[in-house]
């Protein structure tokens, strides 16, 4: 069946077709965004997406001092908006963006309301960029982010996270090793649903092992016991200060790169051209970030962690993301569950993220391979080399009071350097 007549194009992303018998995925096949496995399997994979996004989504508000349950609430709502606006064509979870950590930390003295104003401003600008891309068409994406660029952005986003994974693993190496080994064994040897849930199973096994061996932090266990089962997320309203807004706006560069890179990665994995929906994705994330800023949550972005889950399971069904989004909204009203997640020790996160972040980096390589990028071309070779090292090494430099890290510099560098050097190379000929 051609993509133009699939149900997703008529029903805004609802009414998924059953993939095969709903139980098995044939060798070399994938479960497309408008398909699904049986509902028990879909729910299970949706839970795995929840696990994948939880650590990073909750880490951002923990670092910046934002309410955890509020951020979780708006990540779930933002994901719903994203799925609706992209008409179910782009499977993605919108979690807390790490790019906001630097400006939020730098503007902490201005207070949370002013910080939220910066998030709102970044979201509005991103939404406007999305409308421009949608109006001008996919040629804008082709011109600004050809495969050599998108592959580099996807790769550096994944590999930039490598030190975080390694640091978590090193904090509790035995627990990390048990988690990693469990994930590998279950993913490789597990059959049916069990094999598709390797990351979730590995995290559970790692957590149980940590609990048995005394690897859970006592203060987090005490906090879990004291937390209430039900509670309303804390809502806040933004105010606007120019200095804080100017600190937050550079984040838009990263969000554009992450969103377009995500769309390109999903397109590569599913074998579909999704350039025409890139504008919708940017607008959706901009709207979600704006809404989060208006209510007290951190800004959102398409989550690389969940790309890793899709790559591992070969399930790209947006039905699983509806499960994840609705689960996040429900859990946002349970401080007890949030406290439970915080008991997951560093070693477990390290074991899981060693796999997930590596899968993200390799997706960038796959984009290059599928596009047959010529790395004997000095333009391709040099700009990608510089961008990757900036991302992997987390090159961090300040422009005035604004501090930007490796993803920002690597993404911005290749976005600017590639077209300039390509034009110079063409003029030389």
């Amino acid at each position: 069946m051609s993509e133009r007549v699939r149900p997703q194009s008529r029903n805004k992303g609802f009414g998924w077709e059953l993939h095969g018998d709903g139980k098995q995925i044939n060798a070399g096949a994938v479960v497309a965004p408008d398909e699904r496995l049986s509902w028990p399997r879909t729910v299970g994979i949706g839970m795995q997406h929840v696990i994948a996004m939880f650590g990073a989504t909750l880490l951002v508000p923990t670092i910046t001092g934002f309410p955890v349950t509020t951020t979780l609430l708006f990540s779930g709502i933002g994901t719903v908006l994203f799925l609706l606006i992209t008409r179910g064509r782009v499977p993605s979870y919108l979690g807390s963006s790490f790019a906001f950590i630097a400006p939020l930390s730098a503007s902490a003295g201005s207070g949370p309301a002013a910080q939220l104003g910066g998030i709102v401003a970044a979201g509005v600008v991103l939404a406007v960029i999305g409308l421009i891309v949608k109006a001008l068409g996919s040629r804008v994406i082709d011109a600004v982010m050809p495969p050599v660029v998108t592959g580099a952005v996807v790769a550096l986003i994944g590999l930039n996270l490598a030190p975080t994974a390694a640091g978590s693993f090193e904090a509790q190496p035995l627990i990390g090793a048990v988690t990693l080994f469990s994930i590998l064994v279950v993913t490789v040897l597990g059959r049916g649903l069990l094999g598709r849930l390797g990351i979730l199973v590995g995290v559970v096994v790692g957590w149980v092992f940590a609990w048995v061996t005394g690897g859970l932090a006592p203060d987090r266990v005490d906090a879990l016991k004291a937390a209430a089962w039900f509670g309303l997320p804390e809502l806040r309203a933004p105010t606007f200060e120019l200095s804080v807004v100017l600190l937050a706006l550079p984040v838009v560069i990263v969000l554009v790169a992450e969103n377009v890179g995500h769309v390109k990665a999903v397109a590569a994995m599913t074998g579909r051209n999704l350039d025409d929906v890139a504008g919708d994705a940017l607008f959706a994330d901009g709207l979600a970030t704006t809404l989060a800023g208006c209510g007290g949550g951190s800004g959102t972005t398409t989550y690389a962690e969940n790309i890793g889950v899709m790559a591992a399971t070969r399930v790209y069904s947006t039905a699983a993301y509806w499960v994840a989004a609705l689960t996040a909204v429900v859990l946002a009203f349970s401080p007890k569950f949030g406290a439970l997640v915080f008991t997951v020790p560093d070693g477990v996160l390290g074991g899981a993220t060693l796999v997930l972040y590596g899968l993200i980096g390799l997706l960038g390589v796959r984009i290059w391979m599928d596009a047959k990028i010529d790395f004997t071309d000095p333009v391709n070779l040099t700009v990608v080399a510089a961008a990757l090292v900036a991302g992997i090494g987390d090159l961090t430099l300040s422009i005035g009071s604004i501090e930007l890290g490796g993803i920002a510099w690597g993404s911005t560098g290749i976005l600017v350097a590639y077209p300039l050097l390509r034009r110079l190379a063409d003029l030389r000929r």
Side-chain angles (χ1 to χ4, degrees):
M1 183 182 295
S2 67
E3 187 174 344
R4 288 178 298 178
V5 297
R6 285 184 181 273
Q8 66 173 14
S9 62
R10 302 192 305 266
N11 57 23
K12 304 300 182 183
F14 296 102
W16 301 270
E17 292 183 350
L18 189 66
H19 178 88
D21 62 1
K23 300 178 181 179
Q24 302 293 332
I25 304 174
N26 294 330
V30 299
V31 178
D34 56 342
E35 297 177 331
R36 65 170 177 84
L37 296 176
S38 64
W39 279 115
R41 289 169 172 79
T42 297
V43 170
I45 292 172
M47 293 298 100
Q48 185 164 266
H49 280 299
V50 172
I51 294 295
M53 68 82 181
F54 244 85
T57 293
L58 298 187
L59 181 61
V60 175
T62 301
I63 293 174
T64 59
F66 276 45
V68 171
T69 53
T70 306
T71 296
L72 181 61
L73 172 66
F74 283 106
S75 75
I77 293 174
T79 300
V80 169
L81 290 174
F82 187 93
L83 295 172
L84 290 173
I85 293 172
T86 60
R87 303 178 301 284
R89 296 181 61 192
V90 184
S92 178
Y93 191 90
L94 294 191
S96 303
S97 172
F98 275 59
F100 281 99
I101 292 177
L104 290 177
S105 299
S107 59
S110 298
Q115 291 175 304
L116 292 173
I119 293 173
V120 171
V124 170
V125 172
L126 181 61
V128 170
I129 292 174
L131 293 176
I132 293 173
V133 171
K134 185 174 178 62
L136 297 181
S138 61
R139 64 182 182 273
V140 175
I141 303 300
D142 294 332
V144 177
M145 297 193 74
V148 64
V149 173
T150 55
V153 171
V154 173
L156 71 86
I157 287 174
L159 299 178
N160 174 264
L161 299 168
T164 301
S168 297
F169 193 100
E170 291 169 356
Q172 295 177 309
L174 180 57
I175 294 173
V178 170
T179 303
L180 176 60
F181 181 75
S182 300
I183 291 172
L184 296 178
V185 169
V186 173
T187 301
V188 173
L189 300 181
R191 294 182 179 274
L193 178 62
L194 181 63
R196 302 298 171 199
L197 300 179
I199 297 170
L200 176 59
V201 173
V203 168
V204 172
V205 170
W207 187 92
V208 172
F209 181 79
W211 174 51
V212 172
T213 58
L216 301 182
D219 58 329
R220 295 188 178 187
V221 174
D222 292 340
L224 170 63
K225 295 177 180 178
W229 282 102
F230 302 102
L232 295 177
E234 178 184 353
L235 300 180
R236 295 173 176 170
T239 59
F240 298 92
E241 296 181 13
L242 181 59
S243 61
V244 177
V245 169
L246 292 177
L247 279 173
L249 286 182
V251 171
V252 174
I253 298 173
V254 182
L255 299 181
V256 170
E258 289 177 338
N259 273 271
V260 175
H262 184 95
V263 172
K264 289 286 188 178
V266 171
M269 292 185 292
T270 60
R272 296 182 175 187
N273 187 338
L274 298 175
D275 284 353
D276 63 312
V277 81
D280 292 325
L282 292 168
F283 175 75
D285 189 16
L287 181 61
T289 295
T290 301
L291 183 61
C294 288
S298 183
T300 62
T301 189
T302 48
Y303 247 34
E305 286 83 350
N306 296 89
I307 291 183
V309 172
M310 290 189 292
T313 62
R314 291 186 293 140
V315 177
Y316 304 94
S317 172
T318 54
Y321 280 96
W322 276 96
V323 172
L326 296 177
T327 301
V329 171
V330 171
L331 295 179
F333 291 87
S334 176
K336 179 73 75 175
F337 190 85
L340 173 62
V341 172
F342 274 121
T343 65
V344 176
D346 289 339
V348 172
L349 293 177
T353 53
L354 278 180
V355 177
L356 288 176
Y357 297 165
L359 286 171
I360 299 163
L362 290 177
L363 285 176
V365 176
R366 177 177 173 179
I367 291 175
W368 292 331
M369 294 176 63
D370 290 345
K372 296 180 172 60
I373 298 299
D374 180 12
F375 281 109
T376 64
D377 184 328
V379 175
N380 294 341
L381 185 64
T382 54
V383 295
V384 168
L388 284 181
V389 172
I392 297 171
D394 198 22
L395 175 66
T396 303
L397 299 172
S398 298
I399 301 177
S401 59
I402 302 174
E403 183 180 77
L404 297 177
I407 292 178
W409 287 115
S411 301
T412 303
I414 196 168
L415 284 168
V416 174
Y418 181 81
L420 291 177
L421 292 177
R422 178 57 64 198
R423 179 62 61 86
L424 290 174
D426 292 341
L427 290 175
R428 182 181 178 183
R429 297 172 186 169

